[in-house]
Structure formats: structure tokens, C-alpha cells
Amino acid sequence: MRLVLRTTKSLHPAPLHPNLEDKPGWIGAFAAAGGPRYIQIAGFLERAMADGVLAPGDRLPPQRELAALLGVDLTTVTRALAEARRRGLVEPRGSLGTFIAAPAFELAQAVDLSMNVPPPPEGIDFADVLRRGLAQVTLRADANLLMTYQLGGGTMPDRAAGAQWLAPMLGDVPHDRVIASPGAQSALAALMLCRTTPGAAIAAEPLIYPGVRGAAAELGRHVVTIATDDDGMRPDALDAACRTGNIQLIYLNPTLQNPTTHTMPEARRHEIARVARQHGVLIAEDDPYWLLTPDAPPPLAAIAPAQTVYIATLAKCLSPGLRTAYVVAPDRELQESILAALRAITLMASPIATALATQWIRDGSAADLLAGIRAEAAARQQIARQWLAASGPFAPSGIHVWHPLPSYWSSAGFSRAAQDESLRVTASDVFYDGATPPNAIRISLGGVAERTQLSMALKKLSGLLARKPPNASMPVI
């Protein structure tokens, strides 16, 4: 007899007797590097719910039969169902059995699709990785040094770990050229402070990370918008701006750009570097997503190392809580200037957070987390394609989507309408400093804890996109 999981919602369903040779479609193959099997089983359930294979009210087989179907022992199934219950995927109903749960998040606060953070990787117990990492830090380091003031830039082991992390992007970087900074925002502000003068212009693309404009405004600088084409910032437009304006810094986020997800081709990177060299203007390369981007072109810092300050934060590819970004400057003089500015702004990075980043990089935990986050981001991009098929382009393992809106929606109007539906997205005017921002929104995929929640949130968002906004005017009778 074939096992049927999507049953009628009877209060007294008939017992299930599975044919062990005919597994339900939601049961996947265990991955050797996928983590504990009970975690993978919970993942099978979550994926099936996200794909619509399992729906609220469907009953699972009894635990012993489920163990036979999965080829694991009863204890593993018990732990898997406990994990699934913790995630809100299933609910036990006593003697009736275990059922797929209705999504509780519908009654919770707004689902946040606005915060650009890396998604929690499936199959990795992040809490356990954190505990083990902190245990190693406190075991190997002097507790007094972890809890006192330190000179900015990180210890030599911290800088060596930074050089190891940057090797895929920049190759062999001497560790004494690396600065461990308390986040990319601090590094950008420090660079503006030490490299530009009050009133100076910073060249950037029209749509950029809003922290750049915020830092420039607070420091008495301003951002000058440089025209773009399909390849990104136009070299001729940058050349004209450098000839006529007080351009003292060029800001670029060339790989998986926030918010557009655009990646600048290698040829264009060479052209931009040539213009920067010609005018003697430094490039600030903000590159948080390079390690999430398959086949990413070489960074500008690899193409023009003497012209580029490279900033790579761990916040977008590992965890924002680390508050660690690695900075590489072209020469010792600029490095010391950045360090002096960082001390004026933040004094130092948290020694514990920096030491944890160092420990994770050295023991391989960071590489495991990165691989898990890339796989999770790819799975979430697939969910986004399912519900937002017309939006494109989709980055294979990016953590956000740039979604053009239909003409009947404005970016700000849609953001407000989404908020009314308990969904948070980011309107384009946040990234744009001009009269008419592009009619699009950024949808972040990592802030929702579970894929099931993300799928249902994107389904809801898709329905909202298909509806025209209500007419605010009322007929006169």
C-alpha cells in the first residue's frame, strides 16, 4: 500500500502502513557533509513545506515507520521531530500523531525582508559553532587582554587571519598590510576622514549603500553621482567628473552590488582603474559579497593595488555580530592614517569579536559557515525565482533581490502597502539621492529564519505585486 502524506483532515485518520520501497517525495538523500542526520531530516520537512509538497494539516507517519523509511534509528527521528517542532514545522496531537503545523509567523510581527544579513545555513548548528569558538578563544587567549584596551588594527594573529581570509580575492597579502576594523562602515568613515577634505566630492554610482551618503554628510563631504550603463560606472562620465569637480575619492561596490545585484565585468574594472590612476584619485572598494559570488571578477584592488583601498566585511558573508571588516591600503602611510582615523571614531574593535573571527578562520569554521551560507542563499534565490519569476536578474547565491515594480506601483507606495501586509521591504529612494528614484524595491532573503517562512512571505508579496493599489480618490455622489 502506497504511503499518502497529504491526508484528509479527519479527527481520526486511518493508520498509515508505508511501503518501504516507495518513499514519500519529501524524503531526500542524506549529504555526507550536511550535518547531523536529525538536522537534515528537519531540513527535508522544511524544504517540502516551502515547495508545497507538504501542507498544514498533513500527517506524518508514526515515528517507527518514519525511521524505517529514512533508514535511521528511532532516536534520530525523535530528535528530528523535536527540532522540527522547535522550528514550528510540526505539531504533535497526542494519539492522532504528528502533523504539519500552520505557519505561526502569520500572527507575529512583520516579516523582515529589508535587513541584508546572511541567512542561517542549513545543517549547521550556529549556536554550537559559537560556543566552541568562544571556548577556544578563552582557552588560548589571555582573558585580561580580551577585556582591556588594545591598539586599533588587530593583533598580529588577527591580521594574519585577515590575510588568510582575503587570499581568494587578493592573493598573498602580507599580514602587516591588513587592518582588522570594527565593521565596514567605520572603515569607510575613517577613509573619508583621512583621505578627503571638508567639502570634497566622493564619486559613486546612482544607487549605493546608504551608509556612504550618511557618513559623507556627517563629515561635511558630499556624494557626486556618476552615470552608469549595463556594465556599471561609465569611465567617460567618471573622467569628466574628475576633470571638472573636486573628486577626492571613488566609492565602488563592484561585486553583487547593493541594491541592484549587478557585478561589474573585469574589463570595466580595468577602465575605471585607468581613469582613477590618470587623475590620482583613490578608489574605496567595498566588497562584502565577493565570496558569495561564483566566478566573480578580480577585485579592483587586485587590478590596481596602488590605487585602491579594499574593504571586506564579515557581516554579509558570516555574521553581522562579528563586527569585523578587513582593510588593505596601498601603502604604509595611508594605512597609518586610516588607523589614526579609526581610533578617533571607534578607538578599537571589540577584542573578543575579533578574536572569535580569527579563531573561526584558523580552525576552518569560517569556511564551513561560508559554504553553508552560500548553499542556503542559493536555495533561497530559488524560492525567490518561484514567486518573483518576472523580476530578475537573480544572483546565484546572493542574499538579496532587486525587484522592478509594475507601473501601477511606486516604490514608496509599495513599501507602505507591504508594511500594511506585515511585510518589510526596502524602497529604492533609500539608496538613491535624486528627484526620481528607480521604480524598484530591494528584497532581502536572509533575515527570515526558515525557508518555509520566506516562501510564504514571498508568496504573499507576489500576490500584493499583482494587485493594483487602491484608488485613494472617492467618487462624488
Side-chain angles (χ1 to χ4, degrees), residues 252-334:
L252 286 170
N253 170 203
T255 303
L256 199 61
Q257 197 253 5
N258 181 17
T260 66
T261 74
H262 177 263
T263 293
M264 182 182 287
E266 183 175 355
R268 178 57 56 88
R269 298 179 188 221
H270 281 275
E271 293 176 283
I272 293 295
R274 176 185 55 77
V275 174
R277 278 195 300 267
Q278 179 181 345
H279 294 282
V281 181
L282 192 70
I283 299 169
E285 184 173 16
D286 186 8
D287 207 19
Y289 306 112
W290 196 94
L291 288 169
L292 295 178
T293 311
D295 304 320
L300 283 140
I303 293 168
Q307 208 65 41
T308 308
V309 173
Y310 190 74
I311 303 170
T313 182
L314 300 181
K316 305 302 184 185
C317 56
L318 289 185
S319 172
L322 290 171
R323 298 306 305 143
T324 302
Y326 297 114
V327 182
V328 178
D331 55 61
R332 181 79 64 181
E333 181 181 357
L334 180 54

Side-chain angles (χ1 to χ4, degrees), residues 129-142 146 355-356 359-360 363 365:
V129 176
L130 179 60
R131 283 192 295 268
R132 287 189 286 107
L134 288 172
Q136 289 298 313
V137 167
T138 55
L139 179 66
R140 297 182 180 185
D142 185 334
L146 293 176
L356 178 61
Q359 176 63 36
W360 278 355
D363 70 14
S365 297

Side-chain angles (χ1 to χ4, degrees), residues 181-229:
S181 166
Q185 180 70 19
S186 298
L188 287 166
L191 181 58
M192 291 180 196
L193 187 62
C194 73
R195 187 66 184 199
T196 65
T197 57
I202 298 167
E205 294 182 346
L207 290 156
I208 59 170
Y209 164 56
V212 174
R213 286 198 175 90
E218 290 297 323
L219 295 172
R221 283 71 167 166
H222 65 281
V223 174
V224 171
T225 295
I226 308 299
T228 59
D229 58 20

Side-chain angles (χ1 to χ4, degrees), residues 39-417:
I39 294 289
Q40 294 192 55
I41 294 168
F44 295 161
L45 288 167
E46 188 174 17
R47 280 194 297 274
M49 292 171 68
D51 294 341
V53 176
L54 292 176
D58 287 348
R59 189 179 67 170
L60 296 179
Q63 290 192 26
R64 291 187 184 279
E65 294 177 1
L66 191 54
L69 285 165
L70 289 159
V72 298
D73 57 40
L74 182 60
T75 301
T76 300
V77 169
T78 302
R79 292 186 70 189
L81 293 180
E83 171 65 17
R85 185 179 182 186
R86 184 190 68 78
R87 298 187 191 184
L89 305 177
V90 300
E91 56 179 349
R93 299 182 189 172
S95 61
L96 296 179
T98 301
F99 292 77
I100 299 299
F105 83 99
E106 291 280 3
L107 303 177
Q109 295 182 345
V111 178
D112 194 347
L113 302 173
S114 66
M115 187 67 69
N116 232 23
V117 296
E122 186 182 56
I124 295 178
D125 187 339
F126 191 86
D128 182 60
V129 176
L130 179 60
R131 283 192 295 268
R132 287 189 286 107
L134 288 172
Q136 289 298 313
V137 167
T138 55
L139 179 66
R140 297 182 180 185
D142 185 334
N144 293 323
L145 291 178
L146 293 176
M147 299 303 293
T148 191
Y149 290 112
Q150 295 184 7
L151 291 176
T155 64
M156 283 299 107
D158 295 332
R159 295 184 177 200
Q164 180 181 337
W165 185 254
L166 296 174
M169 299 85 106
L170 304 182
D172 187 13
V173 180
H175 69 269
D176 60 358
R177 287 189 56 209
V178 177
I179 297 171
S181 166
Q185 180 70 19
S186 298
L188 287 166
L191 181 58
M192 291 180 196
L193 187 62
C194 73
R195 187 66 184 199
T196 65
T197 57
I202 298 167
E205 294 182 346
L207 290 156
I208 59 170
Y209 164 56
V212 174
R213 286 198 175 90
E218 290 297 323
L219 295 172
R221 283 71 167 166
H222 65 281
V223 174
V224 171
T225 295
I226 308 299
T228 59
D229 58 20
D230 289 344
D231 286 341
M233 182 180 285
R234 282 172 36 198
D236 62 325
L238 177 62
D239 179 65
C242 289
R243 291 180 186 277
T244 59
N246 184 25
I247 304 294
Q248 295 185 11
L249 187 67
I250 301 165
Y251 171 82
L252 286 170
N253 170 203
T255 303
L256 199 61
Q257 197 253 5
N258 181 17
T260 66
T261 74
H262 177 263
T263 293
M264 182 182 287
E266 183 175 355
R268 178 57 56 88
R269 298 179 188 221
H270 281 275
E271 293 176 283
I272 293 295
R274 176 185 55 77
V275 174
R277 278 195 300 267
Q278 179 181 345
H279 294 282
V281 181
L282 192 70
I283 299 169
E285 184 173 16
D286 186 8
D287 207 19
Y289 306 112
W290 196 94
L291 288 169
L292 295 178
T293 311
D295 304 320
L300 283 140
I303 293 168
Q307 208 65 41
T308 308
V309 173
Y310 190 74
I311 303 170
T313 182
L314 300 181
K316 305 302 184 185
C317 56
L318 289 185
S319 172
L322 290 171
R323 298 306 305 143
T324 302
Y326 297 114
V327 182
V328 178
D331 55 61
R332 181 79 64 181
E333 181 181 357
L334 180 54
Q335 181 186 56
E336 292 301 322
S337 296
I338 293 172
L339 282 170
L342 278 171
R343 285 192 286 270
I345 296 170
T346 62
L347 186 61
M348 67 177 189
S350 165
I352 292 179
T354 306
L356 178 61
T358 297
Q359 176 63 36
W360 278 355
I361 291 170
R362 295 180 68 176
D363 70 14
S365 297
D368 292 342
L369 282 171
L370 176 65
I373 287 166
R374 285 185 64 168
E376 182 65 25
R380 293 183 178 220
Q381 286 283 337
Q382 188 60 43
I383 294 171
R385 288 188 188 94
Q386 177 184 352
W387 296 115
L388 307 171
S391 69
F394 290 93
S397 51
I399 62 174
H400 65 281
V401 172
W402 184 240
H403 188 96
L405 295 174
S407 59
Y408 47 79
W409 280 112
S410 70
S411 179
F414 185 83
S415 179
R416 289 191 296 269

